[in-house]
Amino acid sequence: MRPGAAASRSGAGSRAAGEERALTSVAAGDDFEGEEPAETPRLWHVTLSVSGDEAPLQEVRRALEQLAHDHPFLLTSRYANDHAEIRYWEEARDLHDAAAVALRLWGEHRRTAKLPPWEIVGLEVIDRATYHQRISEGYGPPSAAPVGVHPF
C-alpha cells in the first residue's frame, strides 16, 4: 500500500491521509539461542556491468587498467566502446555490504581512473560456494580470460 493511503483489508481502522502508523520493534533476544550472526568476513564474487555512450577503445582500456591498479582485487575486465564488465572478489560481512561496495566502485574511481561516464546496468553478487558450484556444474559465468583487461 502507498504511504498515506487510507484503505485497509477489512475497511475498518482506516487512517486519514498522511497519518503515521506507529512502528513497534521486535527483540530477537531469546528467539535465537545459540545462533549468532556471522560477523566473519566472507568472499563474494562480484560481476559489475556498466554501459553508456561510446568512448574510444584505447581510453576505455587505459581507464580499466588504472582501475585494476587502484583496486588490486580486480580479476578481469572485458570491454567494448560502449560497455564493460568487471569481475572481482570482495571480502565482506554479508551480501549487502559486498553489493554496497560494488555499487560505489565505478563512481568512486571515475575521476582517478578517468573512467567513462557510464552507468551501472547490472550487478551480480554470489558467495564463494555458489560460484564454485556453478563452475563445477558447467553453467557459471563464461570462463574469464586470463586476469587482466581484455576486449569482448
Side-chain angles (χ1 to χ4, degrees), residues 36-41 93:
E36 291 294 322
E39 294 295 327
T40 306
R93 181 178 46 101

Side-chain angles (χ1 to χ4, degrees), residues 60-136:
V60 174
R61 180 180 180 92
R62 189 221 36 82
L64 290 172
E65 287 172 344
Q66 183 63 48
L67 178 62
H69 177 75
D70 295 347
H71 195 278
F73 298 107
L74 197 68
L75 285 178
T76 187
S77 296
R78 299 187 307 162
Y79 65 94
N81 61 350
D82 64 348
H83 66 283
E85 179 183 89
I86 300 164
R87 292 190 200 163
Y88 65 97
W89 288 98
E90 183 68 57
E91 187 175 35
R93 181 178 46 101
D94 58 23
L95 181 133
H96 293 96
D97 288 351
V101 170
L103 289 170
R104 290 191 313 263
L105 178 72
W106 192 261
E108 288 181 354
H109 290 275
R110 184 172 286 154
R111 280 198 180 146
T112 58
K114 297 183 181 167
L115 296 165
W118 295 343
E119 68 176 327
I120 296 171
V121 296
L123 174 64
E124 180 184 53
V125 180
I126 57 175
D127 69 353
R128 186 176 181 181
T130 302
Y131 175 83
H132 288 293
Q133 179 183 5
R134 286 184 180 180
I135 297 300
S136 69

Side-chain angles (χ1 to χ4, degrees), residues 28-49:
D30 299 329
D31 293 344
F32 298 102
E33 276 185 38
E35 292 183 36
E36 291 294 322
E39 294 295 327
T40 306
R42 297 166 45 194
L43 284 177
W44 301 90
H45 186 265
V46 176
T47 303
L48 184 69
S49 301

